[in-house]
Amino acid sequence: VLYETFARSSWSVALLTQIVACQCGIGGIVNKVLSWKGWIVLSRLTFAVYLLHYIIIQSYVAQLRHPFFYKPDYEIAILISVPGNVVCCRCCSFTFVEQPLAFIERITYRR
């Protein structure tokens, strides 16, 4: 009972302490790991995949011609094709939308 009482609040306090330490410059190796520039690219990728995933699953469901019953081969096909399509759509949106807009923004707001 004691663990359930204090688990969430103590976790929040621990995260707050680490965030404050990183902001003050005394975070140590945690600050270096969390400040790595690769996280920016990964965060953009995962956020876009999060946004696109629902749309692609809904398109699969909308194209069903009869009720969905569990079939192992169909489940495997969905588990492979949905993430593949999501990553493909993300790469296309990055190439044809995000990069050109970033280029235009760089030209427009050059200082």
Side-chain angles (χ1 to χ4, degrees):
V1 175
L2 193 61
Y3 174 78
E4 289 295 326
T5 305
F6 295 111
R8 293 178 187 228
S9 58
S10 59
W11 179 256
S12 300
V13 169
L15 284 177
L16 175 71
T17 305
Q18 188 61 47
I19 289 169
V20 169
C22 288
Q23 284 295 97
C24 293
I26 56 173
I29 193 162
V30 174
N31 191 25
K32 289 182 181 180
V33 169
L34 294 177
S35 298
W36 180 51
K37 299 291 184 191
W39 293 120
I40 296 171
V41 175
L42 189 63
S43 69
R44 288 180 185 163
L45 175 70
T46 55
F47 184 68
V49 166
Y50 165 74
L51 293 176
L52 290 171
H53 192 257
Y54 181 74
I55 296 168
I56 290 180
I57 288 178
Q58 287 301 315
S59 69
Y60 274 113
V61 171
Q63 293 175 8
L64 289 176
R65 297 183 184 202
H66 36 84
F68 175 77
F69 296 104
Y70 178 76
K71 298 176 190 171
D73 55 342
Y74 186 72
E75 188 69 25
I76 291 171
I78 293 293
L79 286 173
I80 293 171
S81 64
V82 168
N85 286 337
V86 168
V87 171
C88 181
C89 288
R90 172 58 185 137
C91 290
C92 290
S93 69
F94 178 77
T95 305
F96 299 117
V97 177
E98 192 172 336
Q99 282 299 101
L101 289 177
F103 179 71
I104 291 170
E105 183 180 350
R106 249 184 282 136
I107 291 173
T108 305
Y109 296 114
R110 184 176 290 170
R111 294 178 187 187

